[in-house]
Amino acid sequence: EIKALVGGFDYDKNKFNHVCKMKLSLWKIAMKILIAVDGSKASVGAVKYAARLYKSMKDECHITLITVQDDSSLRLFKKYTPKGTVDDYLREGADNNLAWAIKYLNKTGLAHDMAIKFGHPAEQIIKESKSGTFDMIVMGTKGRSTWSDTLLGSVAQRVSGLSKIPVLLIKA
């Protein structure tokens, strides 16, 4: 079962869907949704939820999948490995993260594109959301412990804190 987490509060799925349908039916412009995908169960839930949201809209909608490969810990290896080895490794990880989501959206017949970025995930997601003039970010949460989130912060927390557009967090 997928639960929606908006602004830190759990919502009853049926009530949330009803509210979303009411508000989305009032929009007369195409909505652009950015879905962050990292290959986790939570990101699978985010893709499925965004697909349902897309289908429920009466107007045109556009989905962009984004995956971000954090290359900060691999920069040193680039100096000591053949040129392109680390980039190929990161690209392979990105392709693996996106594979299921692309297959699912193709199967459901939903138009989409994708973006592969390198760097800190939260920063790159925010940067892409601004450059693509998106209306909403949809992403999963991984459910780490409260203590580690307090010390380190999660990508979902950083994105929701830095974003100027709505962020829909999906718990799987």
Side-chain angles (χ1 to χ4, degrees):
E1 177 181 309
I2 298 171
K3 289 184 175 180
L5 181 70
V6 181
F9 298 99
D10 285 322
Y11 284 88
D12 178 296
K13 184 174 152 184
N14 293 329
K15 289 180 186 175
F16 183 77
N17 285 339
H18 178 68
V19 170
C20 279
K21 286 178 185 175
M22 286 175 27
K23 290 186 178 191
L24 293 175
S25 67
L26 299 175
W27 292 348
K28 298 296 180 195
I29 57 173
M31 183 173 189
K32 292 177 70 177
I33 302 172
L34 181 64
I35 308 172
V37 178
D38 65 1
S40 67
K41 281 184 177 182
S43 71
V44 167
V47 171
K48 287 181 176 181
Y49 192 89
R52 285 197 315 268
L53 185 63
Y54 182 114
K55 288 179 180 180
S56 72
M57 296 181 69
K58 293 184 174 35
D59 293 318
E60 206 173 306
C61 186
H62 181 79
I63 288 178
T64 298
L65 300 169
I66 183 173
T67 189
V68 182
Q69 297 296 308
D70 190 349
D71 62 351
S72 60
S73 64
L74 298 174
R75 289 188 184 138
L76 179 65
F77 289 107
K78 283 186 177 184
K79 292 180 183 180
Y80 301 105
T81 58
K83 187 176 181 175
T85 304
V86 172
D87 293 335
D88 291 345
Y89 169 77
L90 292 170
R91 176 61 191 218
E92 185 178 324
D95 290 343
N96 290 338
N97 288 348
L98 289 168
W100 180 89
I102 292 169
K103 186 176 178 180
Y104 181 79
L105 293 176
N106 285 341
K107 183 179 168 184
T108 57
L110 301 178
H112 62 278
D113 59 6
M114 64 181 175
I116 297 174
K117 302 293 180 180
F118 300 95
H120 187 276
E123 292 171 8
Q124 292 300 319
I125 292 167
I126 293 297
K127 187 175 179 182
E128 182 71 16
S129 74
K130 290 177 181 176
S131 68
T133 60
F134 288 91
D135 299 299
M136 177 187 289
I137 300 170
V138 179
M139 62 189 301
T141 62
K142 288 193 175 184
R144 293 188 332 196
S145 72
T146 306
W147 180 249
S148 64
D149 283 345
T150 302
L151 291 175
L152 303 173
S154 70
V155 173
Q157 285 176 322
R158 289 181 185 163
V159 169
S160 63
L162 294 171
S163 180
K164 302 289 186 216
I165 61 174
V167 177
L168 179 61
L169 302 177
I170 305 297
K171 292 168 53 173

